[in-house]
Amino acid sequence: MVRPTLQLHAARTPATPRPAATLLWLRDSAAGPEVLLTRRSPTASFLPGVFVFPGGRIDAEDADALDLVHGAAAGHPAEGLTPALAALRESFEELGILHAVRDDGGPLTHRDIASLRRDQALYPQLRAHRLKLAATEVRTLARWTTDRDVGPRRFDTAFLIARIPAGQTAVADDAEQFEPVWLRAEDALQRHQGGTLPLIFPTLRTLRWLAPFRDVDAALQACASGRPLWESCPRGALVKGQPQRYMEHDLPFGELEMVCPDGQLEHALDWQHERPVQLLRHLWRLTAPNRGVMTGPGTNSYIIGSAAGGFVVIDPGPPDDEHVARLFGATEGNIRAILCTHSHPDHSPGAKPLAQLCADRTGRRPPILGMASAPTARDHSLFVPDRELGDGERVHLADPEHPVTLCAIHTPGHAANHLCLVVEEDGLLFSGDHVLNGSTTIIDPPDGNMAAYLDSLDALSAACGGDAIRFILPAHGHVMGSAADTIARLKAHRLGREAKVIAAMRAKPEGESEDWVALAYADTPRNLWPMAKRSLLAHVERIRALDLAS
């Protein structure tokens, strides 16, 4: 893990979240399912004026009310019923909705509902009138935990889903909840976009999940497992100066986890090329201005070290004089080594100009380290380092406070001379183009090789050693977290794609790559098929070598 002394922001202990439950009441309409939203009081201490799903805190009385669950003996665990009881209780108190049956299982009558008072505790009234809550008909959808930066009022909230009881109408208590409104998820999202329906991040993401369903039954069936479809504690960042939230599968999440581990709302995610973005006290990212389909926001050059111990520059990028000058300026020329992960033209050409600039301005020329390009490399990817950096070789920076040891791992596949680099003290993996954020790398034979690529993923997985490596810093895109899981998912994705290629080859045994790419990459935009065809050929090469398509 990253050494705490290298964090940019002072450590803090986020407030412990309190358990809560909220309920998506659904009903069918001619245009699709509608969900019930209510506006919180404008004077509320938490989320004033925001539209939410009804719900609230889980109290001790909810855990003690299992005797009020209709059909509770049918194998429903108590820990799943308690949030449902809380959400049903809150729905009655706030909106007058009672999802219950008589003690004998018979339906409620209007007299039953009218006999209950919303301004009095619900559970004693249910016992007195021999009524039971239909908690087993409430299904678990998701689990949201309030972001760490929110302050003392954090909640660990079960998001539940159920069909509104027939014949009942939501009537707000006008104390905590106002303006109950039924909306299709798409309409709610449009109104939010137009500024007329204030919503918070978990509500927005939940509505996006709900929007594609055609009816209530389909939405309920999606939640039939009894387990949350997702669990998330979002993280916040600044985009154009404004706070934005991100879930665990969103591209910037890992970077926020590394830079702001305690949820500090401090890190700006805007891509820019004029100055380095500091990620840790000894680490900066300077993105080259070569944005494109293949490079994303640009090639990331990384600077690691300090003025006291000197710097290492990883992947100085394309032959861009201004980018090279910015790397020199950021380090004041105190560069002890320039490391190239591989020889492709957006990674290594900046090495010689940067080394020469250091020599001209400081009198010291840092060595260029890496692996020489193989004979299979294309003409634009020829590269000869000053010194070969072998598999397992280490480069040291003797910083008096934070020494750095970079260990090279030979990872052929994307390129025959590809290296990844590990900062052993902090569990950081500089992955070059072997692991990217937001896309899979191109494997382009003959210098690219799919069998070698997959073997290299195994080597990186072994190097992760559980959590010994936590974060991946790719050559394109934001930092990624959960390194071992990320690599495992990437390998599974590659093998899944290979299975589609095998199926395409079997479907059209006399076909060519143009025929197979249309089948194996049907889920990929058509304009990307020319690039996908390169990786397809690498898959075909491996499939034929292993005789997998016969």
Side-chain angles (χ1 to χ4, degrees):
M1 295 297 291
V2 174
R3 288 168 283 184
T5 53
L6 292 171
Q7 297 292 346
L8 299 178
H9 310 293
R12 65 182 187 183
T13 302
T16 300
R18 291 175 282 184
T22 193
L23 182 51
L24 281 71
W25 286 115
L26 301 182
R27 73 181 186 187
D28 282 311
S29 74
E34 295 179 331
V35 64
L36 180 62
L37 291 160
T38 64
R39 182 172 63 86
R40 287 182 56 79
S41 168
T43 61
S45 59
F46 185 69
L47 304 178
V50 172
F51 279 82
V52 297
F53 309 121
R57 287 184 299 179
I58 297 175
D59 296 331
E61 62 180 329
D62 299 311
D64 295 332
L66 296 178
D67 62 301
L68 293 172
V69 176
H70 174 64
H76 294 274
E79 60 270 20
L81 291 172
T82 300
L85 286 167
L88 292 174
R89 173 181 55 76
E90 290 280 351
S91 290
F92 177 73
E93 293 171 356
E94 296 175 350
L95 299 170
I97 298 172
L98 184 63
H99 198 19
V101 297
R102 289 189 163 193
D103 195 33
D104 59 4
L108 291 182
T109 66
H110 290 295
R111 177 177 291 184
D112 291 327
I113 298 175
S115 67
L116 303 177
R117 296 191 53 170
R118 294 166 61 181
D119 60 349
Q120 295 182 6
L122 174 62
Y123 296 144
Q125 296 183 78
L126 293 177
R127 292 186 179 99
H129 289 83
R130 302 180 64 83
L131 303 177
K132 299 251 180 151
L133 291 170
T136 57
E137 297 181 17
V138 175
R139 298 191 176 182
T140 298
L141 168 60
R143 181 179 173 184
W144 288 95
T145 302
T146 311
D147 195 356
R148 301 155 188 82
D149 75 295
V150 170
R153 296 182 67 85
R154 297 183 67 214
F155 296 95
D156 180 358
T157 305
F159 273 54
L160 310 171
I161 187 169
R163 185 189 297 274
I164 188 77
Q168 295 200 35
T169 302
V171 179
D173 60 5
D174 289 340
E176 294 186 44
Q177 303 295 339
F178 298 79
E179 301 175 34
V181 58
W182 288 94
L183 291 170
R184 293 170 57 245
E186 289 182 358
D187 295 335
L189 293 169
Q190 289 175 5
R191 285 183 54 179
H192 173 76
Q193 188 69 24
T196 62
L197 193 77
L199 302 169
I200 59 172
F201 181 78
T203 308
L204 283 167
R205 285 296 179 96
T206 304
L207 288 170
R208 289 178 190 170
W209 170 84
L210 180 62
F213 290 102
R214 295 183 178 181
D215 54 44
V216 173
D217 282 342
L220 293 175
Q221 183 58 36
C223 303
S225 71
R227 298 182 298 274
L229 300 186
W230 68 87
E231 299 185 35
S232 181
C233 180
R235 289 182 177 273
L238 301 174
V239 177
K240 296 181 180 179
Q242 298 300 312
Q244 299 286 342
R245 306 285 172 186
Y246 298 91
M247 292 174 66
E248 285 76 358
H249 63 271
D250 292 328
L251 300 183
F253 189 89
E255 183 161 318
L256 300 176
E257 185 180 19
M258 185 182 81
V259 178
C260 305
D262 298 328
Q264 301 92 337
L265 192 60
E266 301 281 352
H267 188 58
L269 290 174
D270 311 270
W271 288 105
Q272 52 81 27
H273 312 289
E274 292 72 26
R275 57 192 178 280
V277 173
Q278 190 167 15
L279 302 173
L280 296 168
R281 292 193 183 279
H282 69 343
L283 175 63
W284 295 258
R285 177 184 62 220
L286 180 61
T287 303
N290 59 333
R291 178 187 297 271
V293 174
M294 298 292 290
T295 58
T299 300
N300 293 330
S301 299
Y302 291 101
I303 301 168
I304 188 165
S306 67
F311 298 94
V312 165
V313 173
I314 299 171
D315 280 347
D320 184 302
D321 291 342
E322 292 184 355
H323 182 67
V324 167
R326 291 183 187 115
L327 289 170
F328 177 86
T331 59
E332 296 184 350
N334 185 14
I335 299 174
R336 304 303 170 89
I338 301 169
L339 275 57
C340 295
T341 61
H342 62 296
S343 53
H344 286 174
D346 59 324
H347 290 261
S348 63
K352 286 186 178 180
L354 180 58
Q356 189 59 48
L357 186 59
C358 290
D360 294 343
R361 299 281 186 88
T362 70
R364 300 188 307 273
R365 183 184 186 280
I368 299 170
L369 309 181
M371 296 188 74
S373 51
T376 50
R378 301 185 188 277
D379 289 343
H380 60 48
S381 297
L382 300 180
F383 172 73
V384 179
D386 295 331
R387 182 169 67 79
E388 288 275 332
L389 192 60
D391 184 41
E393 186 173 346
R394 288 169 171 80
V395 175
H396 300 277
L397 282 174
D399 184 293
E401 291 188 42
H402 308 295
V404 171
T405 305
L406 283 159
C407 179
I409 303 175
H410 185 204
T411 50
H414 174 68
N417 68 331
H418 197 286
L419 290 169
C420 290
L421 301 158
V422 175
V423 179
E424 295 182 330
E425 292 85 354
D426 299 301
L428 306 178
L429 169 65
F430 294 93
S431 65
D433 277 355
H434 204 82
V435 182
L436 302 177
N437 192 350
S439 64
T440 51
T441 195
I442 298 294
I443 311 298
D444 189 10
D447 202 48
N449 183 279
M450 188 61 71
Y453 179 82
L454 294 171
D455 289 343
S456 294
L457 284 180
D458 290 339
L460 292 180
S461 182
C464 284
D467 279 336
I469 296 174
R470 177 65 180 171
F471 296 104
I472 300 174
L473 293 90
H476 306 282
H478 292 291
V479 177
M480 293 174 280
S482 304
D485 291 340
T486 297
I487 293 167
R489 285 195 299 270
L490 177 56
K491 183 175 181 181
H493 171 78
R494 284 291 191 180
L495 292 177
R497 183 68 69 186
E498 181 172 275
K500 292 182 178 181
V501 176
I502 291 171
M505 293 172 69
R506 289 173 176 169
K508 294 189 174 184
E510 305 302 322
E512 300 292 338
S513 58
E514 288 79 6
D515 304 305
W516 298 331
V517 76
L519 297 174
Y521 288 84
D523 58 345
T524 301
R526 195 181 187 92
N527 66 306
L528 298 180
W529 284 4
M531 289 172 281
K533 190 169 73 171
R534 302 184 203 173
S535 290
L536 179 139
L537 292 173
H539 277 298
V540 170
E541 184 179 72
R542 181 176 185 270
I543 289 165
R544 286 175 171 165
L546 298 175
D547 195 25
L548 298 176
S550 58

